[in-house]
Amino acid sequence: MKISGVMIGASDVHDLAAFYTKVLGPSSFHDGDWYGWFDGAGIMLGPHSEVKGKSQNPERLMIMLEVDDVKATFEELKGIGADVVAEPYRPQEDEENFWLATLADPEGNYFQLSTPM
């Protein structure tokens, strides 16, 4: 068994897909109300009848996005409308090249930027 991806239920899937298109580039899958980005494991977006408005528990699940420069990507994503949850920081002071930052998408779902592990 292996993890193939994460599905995010959305109340406004087209708005959320437009946001993730700015973050990840064009989706590799699109069929009606369904969008997907696949690079190894993937992210799928689609409508869900029980999802209304912003996430009430966004800290429960976080999408990890590996980037070369957390600080630069953080600033770029703030510029396209991501909400700041945690500014770039080093979780381990003795590891000067490992950085994290946490943002939220338009529906309040958290995603974290990480330098390569």
Side-chain angles (χ1 to χ4, degrees):
M1 187 178 316
K2 70 177 186 173
I3 297 171
S4 65
V6 174
M7 184 180 302
I8 301 173
S11 59
D12 185 344
V13 70
H14 301 292
D15 184 51
L16 197 57
F19 175 80
Y20 278 104
T21 296
K22 291 177 187 173
V23 173
L24 301 170
S27 62
S28 52
F29 171 83
H30 178 219
D31 185 13
D33 289 339
W34 294 92
Y35 298 83
W37 290 262
F38 302 98
D39 181 19
I43 297 173
M44 284 289 294
L45 304 179
H48 193 290
S49 62
E50 300 302 314
V51 174
K52 307 285 187 248
K54 289 199 174 222
S55 177
Q56 297 301 304
N57 298 102
E59 58 283 336
R60 185 177 296 266
L61 176 72
M62 237 184 290
I63 299 165
M64 297 288 294
L65 301 175
E66 186 176 286
V67 299
D68 291 328
D69 187 336
V70 167
K71 291 178 185 178
T73 305
F74 175 82
E75 291 300 325
E76 179 183 332
L77 297 181
K78 275 191 347 183
I80 66 166
D83 293 327
V84 174
V85 176
E87 299 269 340
Y89 66 97
R90 291 184 313 172
Q92 301 165 337
E93 288 299 319
D94 61 335
E95 186 62 53
E96 66 183 66
N97 294 322
F98 183 64
W99 287 83
L100 297 172
T102 308
L103 300 116
D105 68 25
E107 293 211 1
N109 304 300
Y110 286 1
F111 62 97
Q112 193 164 60
L113 304 177
S114 167
T115 50
M117 293 186 186

